[in-house]
């Protein structure tokens, strides 16, 4: 290897390290301590999630303190350049970890004493609760920056200090500081509330499952399988990036980790095939962003969604599959178009056949099959993840490199390391969620959004998208989803459910029990409900129903399946939109990581990734305006197929190119075809007209390109 190549590789590694947290060396004595602490803590979590009988509050507190110790040891409080400074930082970090453990021990030992006093704080209660919250904020600052700690401080002080000084809808009478501290630390509502329970159950077990898969060699198999499956096609390396990132994302659930692990392979391959550097990096960033959308592991957000909606996790991943495929196909269409335009050539990536590679690594798919089978059969996600971890170990014995005891220990330790920052983040965000519940500000925010949108679903979607982009500049994806779902999901759910209600009123099919509500409001309107009416009249009629009666009307008019689908659609839309911070400048770490590998300008790469990831905005529109979630199977498949071609036509409109260049008129026609197939008109004839128009444009552009190549 030349000195120039070595220098370039070192430069890329330096750029990637600049995006990562400053962490202590794993080979140091501290690193070995983190290793064994991670192993023991992973085993403890497996016990908690299978055989353990401790109270959820205690387990949540243990979860926090253990990961506080690991996180404090992993990420130093400050960067020291001298040996004395490093010793000082280590001493400080060890003290923080031990104090966090002491706070948990205090909660367990003196919880009953606090209740015996009628929840009246003594000095030690004040000290412990303040210190525990301070540790959570400090560790969150180290791992995610100042945004979340600042948000927590603003939220907590709003409750007991400055809330009473605000006029208008956000005014709050206030609670005592003692009440705030009790609910934040000693109760199962704040730091150790539902978000923390999700963290030590679903999230940890699936992150541990992913660590075992990667350690067993499944990640390498996924890349190799993608290379032989797509590598030989024109523009194949681009398809390898899309396919590999999708499959890896279903294992890891982390966009940045997905980019780094697959991008170091796929981006150089795309460059070698003839793709532009910035486009190659954008494809990897956009495809890796979809990793958190691809079942069965969809990041922490999917588990939180299951908790919020009370919809089984297996149902969530089932309805998420087709939308995720649409997203990855939309990125793949950009790859196809750019391959034709850039004259990217096929390259020989692997001399083996697909069958040979699959035969060597088919056993890596067994744990995923076990996981899905157990979920479908009815086992809890945590139990299914635990059994699937065992399946990873057993299936590895069918490979050339079976997992040995040391490999198992490495996977346990890596799972804990991967979980440390997420655990601290979720515990801290739980404080904000608790404030929202205590003050009712979530309902206020939902009413405000509903008022701003004036009952218009599209405007509300735009507001949620804007809010997700702003929050995403300071919050990780999971935290952004939690905050947005807490504040805006009720309003979005109401509007989606009302759209179904409007359809019933327009058709004159409103159930009799629902008509009774209109009888109470305006008897003159009762007679109108038995006959069809226009959409404008139906919307105006429902708008007359007071907010206090709206929920009852929805329950009387719509069956539980439709309401459940509307709720899931609302959360899925927010979940999708919260991903856009990965690829949207000015803060887009996934794109920045890809840019470091491709050696392209970070901001320009971010804009390229943002363009390629347009499916993040189009698919939520389908979720909002169609029966893509909760519809009958034929209806869902029809939406999927026409949306697939609609996205291809949209790419042609954006790029001015299909199989060949499109002039202005043909480009507009491609946009018309996309609009016909993507617009929620529920008319198959219009969809078919759009499809025919697109096929005509596709064939025409193919012929013109062939003719131009012959004359060239």
């Amino acid at each position: 290897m030349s000195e120039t190549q070595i220098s370039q590789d070192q430069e890329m590694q330096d750029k990637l390290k600049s995006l990562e947290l400053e962490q202590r060396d794993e080979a140091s004595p501290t690193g070995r301590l983190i290793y064994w602490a991670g192993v023991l803590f992973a085993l403890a979590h497996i016990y908690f999630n299978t055989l353990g009988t401790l109270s959820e509050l205690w387990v949540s507190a243990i979860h926090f303190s253990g990961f506080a110790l690991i996180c404090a040891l992993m990420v130093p409080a400050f960067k020291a350049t001298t040996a004395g400074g490093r010793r000082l930082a280590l001493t400080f970090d060890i003290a923080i970890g031990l104090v966090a453990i002491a706070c948990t021990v205090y909660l367990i030992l003196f919880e009953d004493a606090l209740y015996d006093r009628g929840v009246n704080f003594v000095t030690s209660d004040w000290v412990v609760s303040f210190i525990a919250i301070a540790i959570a904020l400090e560790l969150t600052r180290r791992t995610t920056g100042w945004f979340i700690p600042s948000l927590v401080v603003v939220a907590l002080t709003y409750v007991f200090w400055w809330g009473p000084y605000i006029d208008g809808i956000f005014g709050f009478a206030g609670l005592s500081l003692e009440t705030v501290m009790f609910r934040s630390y000693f109760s199962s509502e704040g730091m150790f509330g539902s978000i923390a329970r999700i963290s030590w159950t679903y999230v940890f077990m699936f992150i541990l499952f992913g660590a075992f898969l990667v350690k067993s060699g499944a990640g390498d198999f996924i890349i190799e399988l993608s290379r032989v499956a797509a590598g030989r096609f024109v523009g194949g390396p681009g398809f390898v990036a899309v396919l590999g990132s999708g499959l890896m994302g279903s294992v890891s659930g982390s966009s940045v980790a997905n980019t780094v692990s697959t991008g170091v392979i796929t981006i150089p391959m795309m460059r070698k095939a003839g793709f532009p550097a910035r486009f190659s990096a954008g494809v990897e960033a956009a495809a890796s962003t979809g990793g958190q959308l691809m079942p069965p592991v969809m990041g922490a957000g999917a588990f939180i969604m299951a908790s919020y909606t009370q919809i089984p996790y297996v149902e969530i991943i089932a309805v998420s599959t087709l939308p995720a495929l649409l997203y990855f196909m939309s990125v793949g269409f950009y790859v196809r178009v750019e391959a034709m335009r850039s004259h990217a050539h096929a390259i020989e990536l692997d001399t083996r056949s697909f069958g040979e590679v699959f035969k060597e690594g088919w056993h890596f798919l067994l744990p995923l099959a076990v996981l899905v089978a157990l979920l479908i059969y009815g086992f809890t996600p945590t139990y299914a993840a635990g059994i699937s971890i065992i399946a990873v170990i057993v299936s590895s014995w069918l490979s050339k490199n079976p997992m040995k005891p040391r490999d198992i220990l490495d996977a346990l330790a890596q799972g804990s390391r991967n979980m440390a920052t997420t655990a601290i983040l979720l515990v801290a965000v739980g404080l904000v969620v608790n404030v929202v519940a205590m003050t009712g500000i979530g309902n206020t925010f939902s009413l405000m959004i509903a008022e701003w949108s004036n009952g218009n679903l599209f405007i509300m979607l735009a507001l949620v998208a804007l809010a997700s982009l702003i929050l995403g500049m300071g919050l990780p994806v999971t935290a952004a989803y939690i905050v947005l779902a807490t504040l805006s999901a009720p309003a979005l759910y109401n509007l989606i459910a009302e759209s179904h209600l409007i359809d019933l009123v327009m058709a004159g099919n409103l159930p009799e029990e629902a008509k009774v509500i209109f009888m109470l409001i305006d008897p003159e309107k009762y007679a109108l409900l038995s006959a069809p009416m226009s959409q404008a009249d139906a919307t105006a009629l429902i708008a007359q129903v007071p907010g206090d009666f709206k929920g009852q009307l929805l329950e009387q008019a719509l069956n539980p399946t439709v309401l459940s689908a509307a709720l899931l659609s609302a959360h899925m839309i927010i979940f999708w939109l919260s991903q856009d911070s990965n690829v949207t400048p000015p803060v887009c770490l996934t794109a920045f990581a890809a840019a470091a590998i491709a050696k392209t300008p970070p901001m320009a790469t971010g804009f390229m990734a943002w363009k390629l990831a347009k499916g993040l905005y189009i698919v939520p529109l389908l979720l909002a305006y169609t029966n893509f979630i909760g519809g009958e199977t034929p209806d869902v498949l029809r939406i999927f197929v026409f949306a697939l071609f609609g996205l291809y036509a949209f790419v042609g409109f954006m790029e001015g190119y299909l199989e060949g260049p499109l002039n202005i008129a043909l480009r507009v026609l491609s946009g018309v075809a996309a609009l016909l197939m993507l617009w929620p008109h529920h008319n198959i004839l219009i969809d078919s007209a759009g499809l025919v128009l697109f096929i005509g444009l596709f064939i025409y552009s193919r012929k013109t390109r062939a003719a131009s190549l012959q004359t060239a």
Side-chain angles (χ1 to χ4, degrees):
M1 184 180 292
S2 66
E3 292 183 5
T4 302
Q5 183 64 41
I6 294 174
S7 176
Q8 290 177 345
D9 290 344
Q10 184 61 45
E11 181 184 356
M12 181 190 74
Q13 293 298 328
D14 291 341
K15 288 182 179 179
L16 288 175
K17 285 182 179 179
S18 68
L19 297 172
E20 298 175 353
L21 290 172
E22 185 73 27
Q23 295 190 22
R24 290 188 169 93
D25 186 4
E26 294 183 24
S28 65
T30 306
R32 291 193 291 272
L33 176 60
I34 295 171
Y35 179 94
W36 289 109
V39 169
L40 294 175
F41 212 46
L43 292 174
H45 275 74
I46 293 174
Y47 169 76
F48 294 148
N49 283 287
T50 53
L51 305 175
T53 57
L54 292 178
S55 74
E56 292 183 346
L57 176 65
W58 289 10
V59 176
S60 295
I62 294 170
H63 174 76
F64 161 69
S65 61
F67 278 117
L69 174 62
I70 293 174
C71 189
L73 294 176
M74 281 175 50
V75 186
F78 53 87
K79 187 175 182 179
T81 57
T82 64
R86 286 190 289 271
R87 284 195 297 271
L88 177 62
L90 179 59
T91 302
F92 178 69
D93 293 334
I94 292 175
I96 283 184
L98 294 178
V99 170
I101 294 174
C103 289
T104 293
V105 171
Y106 181 90
L107 184 148
I108 293 173
L109 294 179
F110 296 100
E111 180 188 14
D112 291 339
L114 176 63
Y115 286 105
D116 290 342
R117 294 193 299 271
V119 197
N120 293 315
F121 271 30
V122 295
T123 302
S124 57
D125 297 330
W126 286 105
V127 171
V128 168
S129 57
F130 270 113
I131 289 178
I133 293 173
I135 290 174
L137 297 186
E138 161 59 14
L139 295 178
T140 304
R141 179 201 64 79
R142 294 188 196 182
T143 55
T144 63
W146 282 100
F147 191 96
I148 295 177
S150 301
L151 180 64
V152 171
V153 171
V154 169
L156 291 176
T157 54
Y158 168 77
V159 179
F160 69 85
W161 178 26
W162 55 273
Y165 298 101
I166 297 179
D167 295 327
I169 60 174
F170 287 109
F172 180 65
L175 297 172
S176 68
L177 180 58
E178 184 180 46
T179 300
V180 173
M181 288 296 102
F182 169 75
R183 291 191 177 184
S184 297
Y185 185 71
F186 287 98
S187 76
S188 57
E189 299 171 341
M191 292 174 61
F192 308 136
S194 60
I195 306 299
R197 288 195 295 274
I198 293 169
S199 180
W200 64 263
T201 53
Y202 305 134
V203 179
F204 180 83
M205 292 300 289
F206 275 85
I207 284 181
L208 187 62
F209 173 59
F212 268 86
L213 276 176
V214 172
K215 188 63 182 179
S216 71
D220 296 334
F221 167 69
I222 286 172
I223 297 298
E224 290 178 9
L225 194 66
S226 301
R227 290 169 68 176
V228 298
R232 296 184 178 91
F233 296 106
V234 175
F239 295 120
V240 171
V242 176
L243 181 60
S245 295
L247 294 175
M248 279 294 290
S250 69
V251 173
S252 67
S254 171
S255 300
V256 176
N258 205 349
T259 300
V260 174
S261 60
T262 61
V264 292
I265 299 173
T266 59
I267 291 176
M269 284 196 312
M270 282 188 276
R271 296 287 292 116
K272 184 179 179 181
F275 285 103
R278 188 155 54 95
F279 180 83
S280 302
V283 168
E284 179 57 44
S288 295
T289 295
Q292 296 203 47
L293 305 174
M294 176 61 73
V297 182
M298 300 166 58
F303 306 113
I304 296 168
M305 189 188 306
S307 176
Y308 276 2
T309 62
Q310 294 300 300
I311 294 173
Y313 177 74
V314 66
E315 184 176 335
I316 291 175
I317 63 174
V319 301
S320 299
T321 302
L322 290 182
L325 288 177
L326 280 182
Y327 176 79
F328 283 105
M329 290 299 293
S330 70
V331 180
F333 293 147
Y334 275 106
V335 171
R336 170 72 180 180
V337 166
E338 186 61 37
M340 303 300 290
R341 181 166 54 192
S342 301
H343 304 289
H345 54 275
I347 58 176
E348 191 69 23
L349 298 174
D350 202 319
T351 57
R352 295 174 297 172
S353 67
F354 179 87
E356 289 174 328
V357 174
F358 185 82
K359 184 178 180 180
E360 290 179 5
W362 63 271
H363 53 274
F364 289 118
L365 302 179
L366 288 178
L368 293 175
V370 169
L371 173 65
V372 174
L374 289 174
L375 290 172
I376 293 175
Y377 196 72
F379 288 94
T380 64
T382 51
Y383 187 86
I387 297 299
S388 298
I389 289 172
I390 298 175
V392 173
I393 299 172
V394 174
S395 65
S396 74
W397 297 341
L398 301 175
S399 70
K400 297 177 182 178
N401 299 303
M403 292 188 72
K404 302 177 179 64
R406 183 68 188 191
D407 297 321
I408 296 174
L409 294 175
D410 289 346
L412 290 169
Q414 191 59 47
S416 292
R417 289 183 68 96
N418 294 345
M419 181 66 194
T421 56
T422 302
I424 297 300
L425 167 67
L426 293 178
V427 167
V429 170
L431 290 167
V432 178
V433 174
N434 183 38
V435 168
V436 172
M438 278 194 292
T439 61
I441 199 172
N443 293 331
T444 302
F445 192 83
S446 293
L447 291 173
M448 185 177 66
I449 290 181
E451 183 178 349
W452 285 356
S453 63
N454 196 27
N456 187 300
L457 182 56
F458 184 81
I459 295 177
M460 179 171 289
L461 291 173
L463 291 172
V464 173
L466 179 61
S468 73
L469 178 59
I470 295 173
L471 285 174
M473 294 179 185
L475 292 175
V477 167
T478 302
Y481 165 69
I482 293 172
V483 174
L484 272 175
T486 304
L487 296 176
S488 60
L492 188 55
Y493 158 71
N494 284 333
L495 275 189
I496 294 175
E498 283 180 25
S499 68
H500 293 287
L501 181 61
I502 290 173
D503 291 339
L504 285 179
V505 175
M506 288 172 59
N509 293 330
L510 197 68
E512 289 298 325
E513 54 269 25
K515 293 180 182 178
V516 173
I517 296 177
F518 285 95
M519 175 71 75
L520 297 174
I521 298 171
D522 188 350
E524 295 182 1
K525 304 296 184 182
Y526 180 83
L528 300 176
L529 297 172
S530 299
M533 65 179 69
S534 67
Q535 183 176 5
D537 290 339
T539 303
L541 188 62
I542 293 175
Q544 296 179 15
V545 179
D548 295 341
F549 288 91
K550 193 68 67 67
Q552 184 179 355
L553 176 61
L554 292 174
E555 292 178 359
Q556 295 290 344
L558 304 174
N559 64 56
T561 302
V562 174
L563 292 175
S564 177
L567 180 61
L568 183 54
S569 296
H571 279 268
M572 195 69 73
I573 289 168
I574 295 171
F575 182 64
W576 272 65
L577 292 176
S578 66
Q579 309 295 321
D580 68 347
S581 60
N582 283 318
V583 291
T584 306
V587 180
C588 42
L589 291 183
T590 301
F592 290 169
I597 297 171
K599 302 179 179 65
T600 53
M603 202 59 65
T605 304
F607 280 109
M608 175 61 72
W610 180 63
K611 182 183 76 170
L612 300 179
K614 281 296 178 287
L616 286 178
Y617 306 98
I618 295 176
V619 174
L621 291 175
L622 295 175
L623 301 180
Y625 286 102
T626 70
N627 294 325
F628 203 15
I629 289 181
E632 298 293 332
T633 301
D635 195 25
V636 171
L637 292 177
R638 178 188 64 79
I639 294 170
F640 173 77
V641 170
F642 283 110
L644 194 63
F645 286 103
L647 287 168
Y648 204 164
F650 177 79
V651 172
F653 168 72
M654 291 288 293
E655 296 295 290
Y657 205 100
L658 281 172
E659 293 294 282
L662 302 177
N663 58 36
I664 295 297
L666 295 179
R667 192 170 182 174
V668 171
L669 285 178
S670 186
V672 171
L675 191 63
L676 291 176
M677 288 185 281
L678 292 172
W679 191 263
H681 41 65
H682 310 295
N683 190 322
I684 195 170
L685 294 178
I686 297 177
D687 285 331
S688 301
L691 179 59
V692 170
L693 177 58
F694 168 72
I695 292 175
L697 289 170
F698 185 88
I699 295 173
Y700 177 80
S701 65
R702 189 178 183 86
K703 288 183 177 180
T704 55
R705 182 175 187 272
S708 65
L709 290 176
Q710 288 178 354
T711 57

